[in-house]
Amino acid sequence: MALGDEVVLAGDPNEDGEEEEMVDPQDTSKETCSESSECQKYKAKLDECNERVGRGNTEETCEEELFDFVHCVDSCVSKGLFNNLK
């Protein structure tokens, strides 16, 4: 067998060469959690800060707002992530 040759197993559900794309349950949960009402208040504060910082010369960073938002999303994701694992 030469390098680059493909092996197709008999009974492979995708014999036409297409691979089924895997979806990471953590990514799906992060999207859902970031849109939740619980985390939206942190997202709004982060957006406000980003607008304020983007307007002018300031030494302010939005680090605290970012950490609050990420913490909220991570807490939400951790509640149900392992239920999706096989």
Side-chain angles (χ1 to χ4, degrees), residues 55-73:
R55 277 190 236 137
N57 293 335
T58 181
E59 292 186 22
E60 179 185 13
T61 64
C62 300
E63 185 175 3
E64 182 178 349
E65 289 83 354
L66 176 63
F67 286 162
D68 289 342
F69 177 65
V70 170
H71 177 73
C72 180
V73 172

Side-chain angles (χ1 to χ4, degrees), residues 26 29-34 36 38-39 41-42 66-83:
Q26 183 177 10
S29 294
K30 280 183 179 182
E31 288 176 22
T32 304
C33 288
S34 67
S36 71
E38 182 181 336
C39 294
K41 60 183 177 183
Y42 296 110
L66 176 63
F67 286 162
D68 289 342
F69 177 65
V70 170
H71 177 73
C72 180
V73 172
D74 285 347
S75 294
C76 175
V77 168
S78 68
K79 292 175 187 174
L81 180 62
F82 291 101
N83 296 335

